[in-house]
Amino acid sequence: MSKREVTCITCPIGCRILSEFSGDEFICIGNKCRKGKEFAFTEQMSPVRTLTTTVRTSFPYMPVLSVKTKGEVPKEKIFPIMRELSCIMITGKIIIGETVVENILNTGCDIIATGSL
């Protein structure tokens, strides 16, 4: 793997981290804490993100409902998940924390409501 520069998003500091593998050793420069090194390693190996977005509803007073992934999903699945969610229409009442879509695109992660209807 090659050198990679990332901005850590695990805390408000936003360290700019340069990382690379040298043989079996993972080298990380620029992180101010342990979380930065873990973030840089994950970014090198298989980046993941929490997705927050909206889905359409059939309610005129609230045409969209905010939702998010219950955990992290592979970064490369973000746009396919967004396409899948663009086909969803909420037609019934739902409460915050309730599952909207189970196991979205076989990621093992549910989409949950972050608002209520």
Side-chain angles (χ1 to χ4, degrees):
M1 291 189 177
S2 61
K3 288 184 182 181
R4 184 152 186 204
E5 184 175 352
V6 295
T7 300
C8 183
I9 59 173
T10 58
C11 79
I13 295 173
C15 298
R16 293 182 67 189
I17 302 170
L18 183 63
S19 62
E20 69 176 319
F21 281 93
S22 178
D24 290 340
E25 184 180 5
F26 180 68
I27 300 170
C28 185
I29 300 168
N31 58 304
K32 294 185 174 47
C33 69
R34 174 185 51 80
K35 288 180 183 180
K37 184 172 185 175
E38 292 169 3
F39 177 79
F41 181 81
T42 300
E43 284 295 294
Q44 280 273 16
M45 299 305 291
S46 61
V48 292
R49 297 290 185 272
T50 298
L51 172 64
T52 59
T53 188
T54 57
V55 293
R56 293 178 298 144
T57 79
S58 61
F59 299 94
Y61 65 90
M62 187 180 230
V64 293
L65 175 69
S66 61
V67 296
K68 72 175 205 118
T69 52
K70 194 171 183 179
E72 295 179 322
V73 294
K75 187 176 175 183
E76 70 270 6
K77 295 244 180 173
I78 294 292
F79 288 110
I81 289 171
M82 293 292 290
R83 278 191 296 279
E84 184 78 12
L85 291 176
S86 72
C87 300
I88 302 292
M89 172 73 76
I90 305 285
T91 58
K93 299 291 184 177
I94 196 164
I95 59 170
I96 193 166
E98 193 172 334
T99 299
V100 175
V101 179
E102 289 183 4
N103 191 22
I104 188 86
L105 296 181
N106 295 315
T107 59
C109 195
D110 295 341
I111 303 295
I112 60 170
T114 58
S116 297
L117 283 171

